[in-house]
Amino acid sequence: MSRNSRSRSHGRRSRRKRVALMVGAPVVAVAAGVTLINSAGAATPSEVSADCRADSDKLENCEFVDVQFKQNSFGPNERVSPVSDNCGNASTTTKTFSVSASVTRTVQLEEGFSVDSGIKLGNSVFEVGAKFQTQEINITRDDKRTTLAFDRSDIVQPDSMGFFMWSHKRTDVSGFLKATYKEPQDGGTVFFSPSEGATSVHVFYPQILNNGTPDGRLWLRNVKCGTTDAAKLSKAANNSAQSTTRAAQAEPGFGQGGANVTDVEIPLSEVTAP
Protein backbone atom coordinates (compact mmCIF):
# COMPACT_ATOMS: atom_id res chain seq x y z
CA MET A 1 0.00 0.00 0.00
CA SER A 2 1.32 3.46 -0.86
CA ARG A 3 2.05 6.10 1.75
CA ASN A 4 -0.80 8.25 0.38
CA SER A 5 -3.25 5.37 0.76
CA ARG A 6 -2.18 4.79 4.36
CA SER A 7 -2.46 8.48 5.09
CA ARG A 8 -6.00 8.65 3.66
CA SER A 9 -7.00 5.54 5.63
CA HIS A 10 -5.55 6.94 8.84
CA GLY A 11 -7.37 10.22 8.26
CA ARG A 12 -10.73 8.46 7.86
CA ARG A 13 -10.19 6.50 11.11
CA SER A 14 -9.26 9.69 12.97
CA ARG A 15 -12.40 11.43 11.72
CA ARG A 16 -14.55 8.43 12.81
CA LYS A 17 -12.99 8.57 16.29
CA ARG A 18 -13.66 12.29 16.58
CA VAL A 19 -17.27 11.84 15.49
CA ALA A 20 -17.73 8.99 17.97
CA LEU A 21 -16.34 11.08 20.79
CA MET A 22 -18.54 14.02 19.89
CA VAL A 23 -21.65 11.86 19.81
CA GLY A 24 -20.77 10.07 23.07
CA ALA A 25 -20.08 13.20 25.10
CA PRO A 26 -23.71 14.42 25.34
CA VAL A 27 -24.80 10.94 26.49
CA VAL A 28 -22.44 11.14 29.45
CA ALA A 29 -23.72 14.62 30.27
CA VAL A 30 -27.34 13.47 30.21
CA ALA A 31 -26.55 10.51 32.44
CA ALA A 32 -24.82 12.80 34.91
CA GLY A 33 -27.85 15.09 34.82
CA VAL A 34 -30.16 12.19 35.69
CA THR A 35 -27.99 11.27 38.64
CA LEU A 36 -28.14 14.82 39.94
CA ILE A 37 -31.92 14.95 39.60
CA ASN A 38 -32.44 11.62 41.35
CA SER A 39 -30.15 12.52 44.21
CA ALA A 40 -33.04 14.55 45.69
CA GLY A 41 -34.99 11.30 45.67
CA ALA A 42 -38.55 10.51 46.62
CA ALA A 43 -39.34 10.09 50.31
CA THR A 44 -38.95 6.44 51.29
CA PRO A 45 -41.58 4.72 53.48
CA SER A 46 -39.24 4.84 56.47
CA GLU A 47 -38.61 8.56 55.90
CA VAL A 48 -42.35 9.21 55.65
CA SER A 49 -42.87 7.33 58.90
CA ALA A 50 -40.06 9.22 60.64
CA ASP A 51 -41.27 12.61 59.38
CA CYS A 52 -44.83 11.93 60.49
CA ARG A 53 -43.67 10.71 63.89
CA ALA A 54 -41.45 13.76 64.39
CA ASP A 55 -44.07 16.17 63.00
CA SER A 56 -41.42 17.42 60.55
CA ASP A 57 -41.54 21.00 59.26
CA LYS A 58 -41.17 19.52 55.77
CA LEU A 59 -44.74 18.24 55.95
CA GLU A 60 -47.83 20.07 54.83
CA ASN A 61 -49.89 17.27 56.36
CA CYS A 62 -49.72 13.67 57.53
CA GLU A 63 -52.86 11.55 57.55
CA PHE A 64 -53.83 8.12 58.77
CA VAL A 65 -55.90 6.31 56.13
CA ASP A 66 -57.96 3.45 57.57
CA VAL A 67 -58.33 0.20 55.61
CA GLN A 68 -59.81 -2.33 58.07
CA PHE A 69 -60.82 -2.60 61.72
CA LYS A 70 -61.51 -5.09 64.51
CA GLN A 71 -63.65 -4.28 67.54
CA ASN A 72 -63.37 -5.92 70.98
CA SER A 73 -59.74 -6.89 70.54
CA PHE A 74 -57.68 -7.19 73.71
CA GLY A 75 -54.63 -5.10 74.55
CA PRO A 76 -51.52 -6.16 76.49
CA ASN A 77 -51.81 -8.35 79.58
CA GLU A 78 -50.75 -6.14 82.49
CA ARG A 79 -50.18 -6.77 86.16
CA VAL A 80 -52.13 -3.96 87.86
CA SER A 81 -51.73 -4.57 91.59
CA PRO A 82 -48.94 -5.35 94.06
CA VAL A 83 -48.19 -9.03 94.68
CA SER A 84 -49.57 -10.58 97.88
CA ASP A 85 -47.44 -13.41 99.29
CA ASN A 86 -49.09 -16.40 100.96
CA CYS A 87 -46.17 -18.78 100.49
CA GLY A 88 -45.66 -21.51 103.10
CA ASN A 89 -49.23 -21.32 104.40
CA ALA A 90 -51.51 -24.35 104.06
CA SER A 91 -54.72 -22.28 104.13
CA THR A 92 -56.19 -19.45 102.10
CA THR A 93 -55.91 -15.85 103.23
CA THR A 94 -57.91 -12.73 102.41
CA LYS A 95 -55.91 -9.77 101.17
CA THR A 96 -56.86 -6.25 100.12
CA PHE A 97 -55.51 -5.24 96.72
CA SER A 98 -55.08 -1.74 95.35
CA VAL A 99 -55.78 -2.01 91.64
CA SER A 100 -54.82 0.73 89.20
CA ALA A 101 -54.74 0.83 85.39
CA SER A 102 -55.25 3.40 82.67
CA VAL A 103 -55.92 3.33 78.94
CA THR A 104 -55.28 5.84 76.19
CA ARG A 105 -55.47 5.99 72.41
CA THR A 106 -52.27 4.73 70.80
CA VAL A 107 -50.87 5.16 67.30
CA GLN A 108 -48.40 2.40 66.47
CA LEU A 109 -46.27 2.62 63.37
CA GLU A 110 -45.03 -0.45 61.51
CA GLU A 111 -41.59 -0.23 63.15
CA GLY A 112 -43.23 -0.63 66.55
CA PHE A 113 -42.99 2.98 67.73
CA SER A 114 -45.89 4.86 69.29
CA VAL A 115 -46.41 8.52 68.49
CA ASP A 116 -47.85 11.40 70.45
CA SER A 117 -51.20 12.67 69.25
CA GLY A 118 -50.41 16.38 69.59
CA ILE A 119 -49.10 16.52 66.03
CA LYS A 120 -50.48 16.77 62.48
CA LEU A 121 -51.30 13.08 62.54
CA GLY A 122 -53.49 13.60 65.62
CA ASN A 123 -56.33 15.43 63.88
CA SER A 124 -56.62 12.72 61.24
CA VAL A 125 -56.68 9.97 63.87
CA PHE A 126 -59.38 11.82 65.81
CA GLU A 127 -61.54 12.18 62.68
CA VAL A 128 -61.08 8.54 61.66
CA GLY A 129 -62.21 7.46 65.12
CA ALA A 130 -65.62 9.07 64.57
CA LYS A 131 -66.47 6.27 62.15
CA PHE A 132 -66.10 3.68 64.91
CA GLN A 133 -67.95 5.52 67.67
CA THR A 134 -71.35 3.82 67.90
CA GLN A 135 -74.25 3.54 70.33
CA GLU A 136 -73.03 0.07 71.30
CA ILE A 137 -69.33 0.88 71.50
CA ASN A 138 -67.97 4.06 73.03
CA ILE A 139 -64.31 4.74 72.29
CA THR A 140 -61.68 7.27 73.32
CA ARG A 141 -60.83 9.22 70.18
CA ASP A 142 -58.37 11.71 71.70
CA ASP A 143 -55.29 11.08 73.83
CA LYS A 144 -56.84 11.53 77.27
CA ARG A 145 -56.32 8.78 79.84
CA THR A 146 -59.20 6.85 81.34
CA THR A 147 -58.44 5.23 84.68
CA LEU A 148 -59.54 2.07 86.43
CA ALA A 149 -58.73 2.33 90.15
CA PHE A 150 -60.23 0.61 93.19
CA ASP A 151 -59.46 -1.40 96.34
CA ARG A 152 -60.78 -4.95 96.61
CA SER A 153 -60.44 -7.81 99.08
CA ASP A 154 -59.96 -11.25 97.60
CA ILE A 155 -58.68 -14.71 98.45
CA VAL A 156 -55.10 -15.79 97.89
CA GLN A 157 -54.77 -19.56 97.57
CA PRO A 158 -52.61 -21.72 99.90
CA ASP A 159 -48.88 -21.55 99.21
CA SER A 160 -49.49 -19.05 96.42
CA MET A 161 -48.87 -15.48 95.39
CA GLY A 162 -51.87 -13.41 94.30
CA PHE A 163 -52.27 -10.28 92.20
CA PHE A 164 -54.63 -8.71 89.67
CA MET A 165 -54.25 -8.82 85.91
CA TRP A 166 -55.91 -6.60 83.32
CA SER A 167 -56.32 -6.49 79.53
CA HIS A 168 -58.33 -3.62 78.08
CA LYS A 169 -60.70 -3.88 75.14
CA ARG A 170 -60.02 -1.70 72.14
CA THR A 171 -61.02 -1.07 68.55
CA ASP A 172 -58.01 -1.86 66.36
CA VAL A 173 -58.05 0.23 63.16
CA SER A 174 -55.27 -0.53 60.67
CA GLY A 175 -54.14 1.27 57.55
CA PHE A 176 -51.28 3.41 56.22
CA LEU A 177 -49.81 6.90 56.41
CA LYS A 178 -50.24 9.49 53.67
CA ALA A 179 -47.73 12.34 53.84
CA THR A 180 -48.02 15.57 51.84
CA TYR A 181 -44.74 17.49 51.62
CA LYS A 182 -44.45 21.25 51.20
CA GLU A 183 -41.72 20.96 48.55
CA PRO A 184 -41.81 18.46 45.65
CA GLN A 185 -39.54 15.45 45.91
CA ASP A 186 -38.64 13.67 42.70
CA GLY A 187 -41.54 15.44 41.02
CA GLY A 188 -44.18 14.58 43.63
CA THR A 189 -45.44 15.80 47.01
CA VAL A 190 -47.53 12.85 48.25
CA PHE A 191 -45.88 9.68 49.58
CA PHE A 192 -47.02 6.71 51.65
CA SER A 193 -45.80 4.50 54.46
CA PRO A 194 -45.38 1.59 54.26
CA SER A 195 -47.37 1.69 50.98
CA GLU A 196 -50.78 2.78 49.73
CA GLY A 197 -53.40 0.25 50.84
CA ALA A 198 -51.20 -1.36 53.52
CA THR A 199 -52.55 -2.34 56.96
CA SER A 200 -49.43 -2.31 59.17
CA VAL A 201 -50.06 1.05 60.87
CA HIS A 202 -52.44 0.59 63.81
CA VAL A 203 -54.53 3.00 65.85
CA PHE A 204 -55.90 1.45 69.04
CA TYR A 205 -59.00 3.21 70.39
CA PRO A 206 -59.82 2.11 73.97
CA GLN A 207 -63.44 1.06 74.50
CA ILE A 208 -65.20 2.71 77.44
CA LEU A 209 -68.19 1.44 79.44
CA ASN A 210 -71.27 3.58 80.02
CA ASN A 211 -70.19 4.20 83.62
CA GLY A 212 -66.98 5.81 82.40
CA THR A 213 -64.55 3.00 83.22
CA PRO A 214 -62.41 1.23 80.62
CA ASP A 215 -63.87 -1.94 79.16
CA GLY A 216 -61.76 -5.08 79.32
CA ARG A 217 -60.99 -8.25 81.23
CA LEU A 218 -59.97 -8.18 84.89
CA TRP A 219 -58.84 -11.28 86.74
CA LEU A 220 -57.25 -12.44 89.98
CA ARG A 221 -54.19 -14.58 89.33
CA ASN A 222 -52.71 -17.04 91.83
CA VAL A 223 -49.23 -18.45 91.18
CA LYS A 224 -47.94 -21.46 93.12
CA CYS A 225 -44.92 -20.70 95.26
CA GLY A 226 -41.64 -22.46 94.46
CA THR A 227 -42.13 -22.13 90.69
CA THR A 228 -40.13 -20.07 88.20
CA ASP A 229 -43.00 -17.60 87.82
CA ALA A 230 -43.23 -17.19 91.59
CA ALA A 231 -39.48 -16.52 91.78
CA LYS A 232 -39.84 -13.73 89.23
CA LEU A 233 -42.74 -12.24 91.16
CA SER A 234 -40.78 -12.37 94.44
CA LYS A 235 -37.92 -10.48 92.84
CA ALA A 236 -40.28 -7.85 91.45
CA ALA A 237 -42.12 -7.52 94.77
CA ASN A 238 -38.87 -6.40 96.42
CA ASN A 239 -38.99 -3.29 94.30
CA SER A 240 -42.14 -1.23 94.78
CA ALA A 241 -41.74 0.36 91.35
CA GLN A 242 -41.81 -3.07 89.73
CA SER A 243 -44.53 -4.61 91.90
CA THR A 244 -47.32 -2.73 90.13
CA THR A 245 -48.08 -2.41 86.42
CA ARG A 246 -45.56 -3.99 84.05
CA ALA A 247 -47.08 -3.06 80.72
CA ALA A 248 -43.74 -3.32 78.93
CA GLN A 249 -43.18 -6.93 80.02
CA ALA A 250 -45.17 -9.71 78.39
CA GLU A 251 -47.50 -11.63 80.69
CA PRO A 252 -49.54 -14.75 79.88
CA GLY A 253 -53.15 -14.04 78.99
CA PHE A 254 -56.22 -15.16 80.88
CA GLY A 255 -56.14 -18.94 81.35
CA GLN A 256 -52.77 -19.21 79.63
CA GLY A 257 -50.42 -19.21 82.61
CA GLY A 258 -49.92 -22.97 82.80
CA ALA A 259 -50.47 -25.69 85.41
CA ASN A 260 -49.11 -23.62 88.31
CA VAL A 261 -51.32 -20.61 87.63
CA THR A 262 -55.01 -20.15 88.49
CA ASP A 263 -57.05 -17.28 87.00
CA VAL A 264 -60.46 -16.11 88.20
CA GLU A 265 -62.22 -13.44 86.15
CA ILE A 266 -63.80 -10.52 88.02
CA PRO A 267 -66.94 -9.04 86.41
CA LEU A 268 -66.50 -5.35 85.73
CA SER A 269 -69.99 -4.82 87.15
CA GLU A 270 -68.34 -5.37 90.55
CA VAL A 271 -65.92 -2.49 89.95
CA THR A 272 -66.93 0.90 91.31
CA ALA A 273 -67.01 3.65 88.70
CA PRO A 274 -64.71 6.64 89.33
Side-chain angles (χ1 to χ4, degrees), residues 44-59 61-63 107-122 177-179 181 193 201:
T44 65
S46 60
E47 288 171 340
V48 168
S49 177
D51 287 342
C52 285
R53 187 168 62 246
D55 201 26
S56 172
D57 291 338
K58 297 183 294 183
L59 295 176
N61 196 17
C62 180
E63 306 167 67
V107 180
Q108 182 176 320
L109 304 181
E110 68 277 4
E111 299 94 337
F113 292 96
S114 294
V115 298
D116 182 72
S117 63
I119 59 177
K120 296 180 181 72
L121 187 57
L177 298 182
K178 176 184 177 182
Y181 285 83
S193 178
V201 177

Side-chain angles (χ1 to χ4, degrees), residues 139-180:
I139 63 172
T140 299
R141 294 166 56 198
D142 56 24
D143 61 345
K144 70 178 182 182
R145 288 191 171 274
T146 305
T147 302
L148 177 75
F150 62 93
D151 291 339
R152 178 185 172 91
S153 295
D154 247 301
I155 295 175
V156 180
Q157 298 298 320
D159 197 29
S160 297
M161 306 175 76
F163 54 95
F164 274 88
M165 292 287 298
W166 163 257
S167 179
H168 71 277
K169 279 187 180 181
R170 59 194 186 180
T171 295
D172 176 3
V173 183
S174 56
F176 60 93
L177 298 182
K178 176 184 177 182
T180 303

Side-chain angles (χ1 to χ4, degrees), residues 210-241:
N210 291 333
N211 64 5
T213 61
D215 194 3
R217 173 177 282 159
L218 178 71
W219 68 97
L220 176 65
R221 170 164 286 175
N222 275 270
V223 178
K224 292 294 291 183
C225 298
T227 63
T228 301
D229 287 336
K232 292 179 181 178
L233 290 172
S234 295
K235 182 178 180 180
N238 291 330
N239 186 328
S240 59

Side-chain angles (χ1 to χ4, degrees), residues 17-68:
K17 288 181 181 178
R18 287 196 295 271
V19 169
L21 288 173
M22 290 174 65
V23 170
V27 174
V28 174
V30 170
V34 170
T35 301
L36 291 173
I37 292 173
N38 285 343
S39 64
T44 65
S46 60
E47 288 171 340
V48 168
S49 177
D51 287 342
C52 285
R53 187 168 62 246
D55 201 26
S56 172
D57 291 338
K58 297 183 294 183
L59 295 176
E60 183 70 34
N61 196 17
C62 180
E63 306 167 67
F64 171 65
V65 182
D66 61 291
V67 176
Q68 61 187 30

Side-chain angles (χ1 to χ4, degrees), residues 78-85 92-99 150 152-157 160-167 217-223 252-257 260-268 270:
E78 306 175 43
R79 178 156 50 84
V80 292
S81 80
V83 177
S84 183
D85 188 336
T92 62
T93 185
T94 300
K95 297 285 187 176
T96 299
F97 297 89
S98 293
V99 178
F150 62 93
R152 178 185 172 91
S153 295
D154 247 301
I155 295 175
V156 180
Q157 298 298 320
S160 297
M161 306 175 76
F163 54 95
F164 274 88
M165 292 287 298
W166 163 257
S167 179
R217 173 177 282 159
L218 178 71
W219 68 97
L220 176 65
R221 170 164 286 175
N222 275 270
V223 178
F254 179 78
Q256 300 175 348
N260 296 313
V261 176
T262 302
D263 292 333
V264 178
E265 186 165 5
I266 308 299
L268 292 183
E270 299 181 11

